[in-house]
Amino acid sequence: VSIGDNAFAIPFTDPPTPSSLASVTFASGSQLSNIGSNAFENASALTSIAIPANVTDIDDYAFSGASSLATVTFAPTSKLTYIGQGAFYDVALLDTITIPASVTEIDDYAFDGASSLSTIYFLGNPSIAIAASANKKAGYTNCILDTGCLILVT
């Protein structure tokens, strides 16, 4: 799937995203600001995604069940502020993720079931709000913080 530079949101999908979706490409200069709830839910053939710089919100369960998703990257100039509830729920192959400095909130169960997630890098946001259950059942062992924010790991 190729998403043009004039798209500003990927809305809730009904019917759901086909499990065979293997590639998502955003146009250079993408103005996309929102990846909607369930947008790529159960896209089990999707292995990587590069989130465009203008995306501010990844809504609830956006990539839930994308079981082959191993790489999520953000533009160096990312404007992302919010990662929604269950956004990466059951994304079992994701082993490392770098959270942009612009992120101010990570909601409940954002990485629940991300059983391979071993390292989360936080790039410099000391005031990030992380829901207590954001990381439930994630397998990570390392949280690396640029400027030091408090994370409760249970």
Side-chain angles (χ1 to χ4, degrees):
V1 169
S2 182
I3 299 172
D5 59 354
N6 291 325
F8 64 91
I10 300 171
F12 171 81
T13 55
D14 190 18
T17 304
S19 61
S20 61
L21 178 68
S23 173
V24 177
T25 304
F26 298 97
S28 177
S30 173
Q31 296 304 303
L32 186 72
S33 64
N34 176 266
I35 297 176
S37 296
N38 309 88
F40 298 106
E41 182 178 22
N42 296 322
S44 57
L46 187 63
T47 60
S48 67
I49 191 155
I51 308 295
N54 286 324
V55 172
T56 59
D57 300 304
I58 297 175
D59 286 341
D60 299 348
Y61 301 97
F63 294 97
S64 173
S67 56
S68 297
L69 187 60
T71 305
V72 177
T73 56
F74 299 94
T77 56
S78 177
K79 297 176 184 173
L80 186 69
T81 59
Y82 175 72
I83 298 174
Q85 181 173 333
F88 296 98
Y89 180 84
D90 276 348
V91 178
L93 295 183
L94 183 65
D95 67 353
T96 301
I97 192 165
T98 300
I99 307 297
S102 54
V103 172
T104 57
E105 183 178 359
I106 299 176
D107 211 338
D108 290 324
Y109 308 108
F111 299 103
D112 189 15
S115 55
S116 296
L117 188 60
S118 63
T119 305
I120 302 174
Y121 295 95
F122 291 88
L123 297 179
N125 192 339
S127 60
I128 192 169
I130 301 173
S133 58
N135 310 304
K136 185 177 180 186
K137 296 183 189 172
Y140 72 84
T141 55
N142 299 305
C143 284
I144 300 168
L145 311 173
D146 267 9
T147 59
C149 62
L150 177 63
I151 297 182
L152 302 175
V153 179
T154 58

